[in-house]
Amino acid sequence: MRMLALHLAVLAGVAALQFVLPAYHHTNAARILVLATYAIGFNIAFGYTGLLSLGHALFFAGGMYATGLLVDQGGWQPWAALLAGPAAGGVLAAGVGLLALRTAGPAFMIVTLMFAQAFHLAILYWGRFTGGDEGFTLSGAARRLGPFDLADPATRYGAAFLLFAAAMLGCLALVRSRTGRVLIAVRENEERTRMLGYDPFRAKLLALVLSGLLSGAAGATYGLMFGYVGGSFAAIQYSILPLIWVLLGGAGTVLGPLLGTALLFYLIDWASSVTTASQFVVGAVLILLVLFAPRGLLGLLRERGLRSLP
């Protein structure tokens, strides 16, 4: 109960922020919440199941393009197209998983990267429909969910918060369930898990599909919230970023993705304002993290006392 209370308190604090943040940070916070949802999805696969994927941009951009194209060119209602985002992410994750999970370690990383790069190249090749690298913008009508206009800052923050809260509480319930314990067992010792009667392949496929669902939902919401769908979201950068967010906040922790996403977002923002060598500053901070907190900030906190932190 204490852990549930802690996570609910964090959600209450995040909800209250929208009433005190200035406009610039208000928009940034909404963006961070959606990206943190993407990081939660990645954390289910990597932090809890031990699947280091370099192709998660496929699921994020797949959800974004599924929703964006259905609204922009298919004539779908935004609420219906929004549901297609997580569906697309989950289907793509299932398809990739059925093939990629026949490998392990570096081979798994390479196979997932190949799928994501193929999708990125397809976006560029079919630029007539996808807008290519420049992408396309969504009209104001395409960003209305019934009476709710996602172009409105308060509505946008509310939508981002609801998505993040659902993802975080769902992840908390998952990792405290029997299924979650099986995923962690697969991460720790796959052979021993198999000897206990569980199917590691099925567990890893489930983790990857759940990860794809959340990633697709985040991509679809991001596209509608900010009115833009672009090929850059399918690039390798958006497969590396969730890895950094999770490592920074703490892999295998429920709150780690939010902490890591927020810290890296504002680290890049601050470094860009003080120097043209912002990537050097970010790289130096990440090196220090690896040296002194290899399990991330919340992972370090868990080691120092909060061992029950999920």
Side-chain angles (χ1 to χ4, degrees), residues 14 21 30 36 39 56 65 82 86 95 99 101 120 126 132-133 163 165 179 182 202 207 210 213 216 232 244 274 280:
V14 172
L21 289 175
H56 258 62
Y65 270 91
L82 183 61
L99 296 173
L101 288 174
H120 186 208
W126 297 101
D133 196 40
L163 175 69
T179 300
V182 172
R202 180 181 295 181
L210 291 175
L213 284 170
S232 60
I244 299 176
V274 297
F280 176 82

Side-chain angles (χ1 to χ4, degrees), residues 267-288:
L267 175 62
I268 294 174
D269 186 66
W270 170 79
S272 300
S273 67
V274 297
T275 177
T276 56
S278 59
Q279 295 301 315
F280 176 82
V281 176
V282 173
V285 170
L286 293 178
I287 290 173
L288 291 174

Side-chain angles (χ1 to χ4, degrees), residues 60-81:
F60 183 76
M64 178 183 288
Y65 270 91
T67 296
L69 289 174
L70 288 174
V71 168
D72 187 61
Q73 301 183 25
W76 284 38
Q77 291 296 317
W79 64 267

Side-chain angles (χ1 to χ4, degrees), residues 235-251:
I236 182 64
Q237 173 187 3
Y238 274 86
S239 290
I240 299 299
L241 280 174
L243 172 61
I244 299 176
W245 295 331
V246 168
L247 288 176
L248 180 58

Side-chain angles (χ1 to χ4, degrees), residues 54 105-115:
L54 293 182
F108 176 80
M109 296 164 56
I110 293 171
V111 171
T112 54
L113 175 61
M114 288 172 57
F115 275 110

Side-chain angles (χ1 to χ4, degrees), residues 171-231:
C171 181
L172 180 62
L174 173 67
V175 300
R176 295 171 72 89
S177 70
R178 179 178 177 179
T179 300
R181 290 192 289 270
V182 172
L183 298 182
I184 294 172
V186 170
R187 179 194 69 191
E188 295 298 323
N189 194 318
E190 185 172 329
E191 288 303 317
R192 183 172 295 177
T193 305
R194 182 180 289 107
M195 290 175 61
L196 290 173
Y198 297 101
D199 185 352
F201 182 86
R202 180 181 295 181
K204 290 190 288 186
L205 182 61
L206 174 63
L208 201 59
V209 170
L210 291 175
S211 182
L213 284 170
L214 283 179
S215 300
T221 305
Y222 195 97
L224 288 184
M225 280 178 51
F226 297 101
Y228 174 70
V229 177

Side-chain angles (χ1 to χ4, degrees), residues 27-44:
T27 300
N28 285 347
R31 196 184 307 270
I32 287 169
L33 288 175
V34 178
L35 294 177
T37 302
Y38 177 31
I40 289 174
F42 184 87
N43 194 34
I44 291 175

